[in-house]
């Protein structure tokens, strides 16, 4: 397979990783996503977003804007029963050049008593796609979720 002008090895598994951490000191939910670049580009194409050549020399000028648009369509959060908008902090290519790390943040979150995660990233592309999510809320308590096309949303309740 070629990607961005170079030859990139294919991958036989279809998954994304998401880490959600509540940073008490900054009163912010901080998210890190790891997505395979080829799958991400193909999924964006399905949504009518032109090929962006993410993380390559050919990357389009508004690639981050288009990536953020795709993320907003397929990755949503509700904090304390309220829909929230996250900010796009940045992205970087993974060490193996196969994936991209995407950084997102929701600011001004003074507490988290409930969290709903809807992660439909790339689910329309591969029947075996799994979106693995690690949630560190509250700090010190980690929960793991596996979201797929049959269950793409999960709610967690932290109320005492």
């Amino acid at each position: 397979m070629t990607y961005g002008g170079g030859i990139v090895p294919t991958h036989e598994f279809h998954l994304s990783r998401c880490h959600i951490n509540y940073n008490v000191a900054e009163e912010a939910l901080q998210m890190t996503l790891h997505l395979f670049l080829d799958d991400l580009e193909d999924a964006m194409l399905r949504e009518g977003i032109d090929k962006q050549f993410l993380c390559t020399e050919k990357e389009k000028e508004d690639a981050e804007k288009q990536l953020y648009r795709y993320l907003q369509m397929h990755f949503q959060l509700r904090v304390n029963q309220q829909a929230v908008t996250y900010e796009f902090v940045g992205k970087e290519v993974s060490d193996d050049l196969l994936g991209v790390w995407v950084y997102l943040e929701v600011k001004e979150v003074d507490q988290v008593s409930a969290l709903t995660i809807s992660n439909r990233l790339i689910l329309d592309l591969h029947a075996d796609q799994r979106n693995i999510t690690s949630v560190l809320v509250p700090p010190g308590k980690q929960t793991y979720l596996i979201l797929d096309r049959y269950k793409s949303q999960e709610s967690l309740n932290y109320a005492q």
Side-chain angles (χ1 to χ4, degrees):
M1 169 197 335
T2 64
Y3 180 78
I7 296 176
V8 176
T10 59
H11 56 94
E12 296 182 19
F13 53 95
H14 302 106
L15 63 88
S16 76
R17 290 182 290 172
C18 175
H19 301 283
I20 301 174
N21 179 53
Y22 179 59
N23 185 322
V24 176
E26 294 184 24
E27 293 189 339
L29 271 177
Q30 299 167 331
M31 292 146 294
T32 304
L33 295 167
H34 181 271
L35 305 158
F36 282 110
L37 281 164
D38 60 338
D39 291 342
L40 178 58
E41 288 272 10
D42 289 346
M44 290 171 66
L45 281 170
R46 281 183 172 235
E47 295 294 330
I49 300 170
D50 292 337
K51 189 163 183 72
Q52 298 299 305
F53 301 97
L54 293 164
C55 299
T56 71
E57 292 175 1
K58 296 180 181 181
E59 183 172 290
K60 292 192 174 179
E61 189 174 319
D62 69 341
E64 288 186 356
K65 178 181 174 185
Q66 296 302 326
L67 171 58
Y68 183 53
R69 185 176 129 211
Y70 173 77
L71 293 172
Q72 288 177 307
M73 288 188 287
H74 298 283
F75 182 75
Q76 291 95 27
L77 296 174
R78 293 180 70 79
V79 177
N80 306 330
Q81 312 305 324
Q82 299 296 315
V84 294
T85 301
Y86 47 80
E87 294 179 23
F88 181 88
V89 176
K91 68 170 176 37
E92 63 183 332
V93 68
S94 62
D95 290 339
D96 62 10
L97 307 179
L98 294 176
V100 60
W101 290 100
V102 179
Y103 306 101
L104 309 169
E105 184 174 54
V106 180
K107 294 181 179 179
E108 299 178 14
V109 179
D110 61 353
Q111 69 166 345
V112 180
S113 59
L115 181 64
T116 300
I117 303 146
S118 176
N119 187 342
R120 298 181 334 278
L121 296 168
I122 310 175
L123 291 181
D124 293 337
L125 197 60
H126 301 292
D128 63 342
Q129 175 73 30
R130 302 291 180 266
N131 295 328
I132 299 170
T133 304
S134 165
V135 182
L136 198 56
V137 176
K141 181 180 180 194
Q142 193 157 24
T143 304
Y144 293 95
L145 309 171
I146 298 176
L147 303 174
D148 58 26
R149 66 179 4 165
Y150 303 105
K151 185 175 185 179
S152 62
Q153 181 173 299
E154 184 76 45
S155 294
L156 302 168
N157 190 348
Y158 303 105
Q160 301 293 346

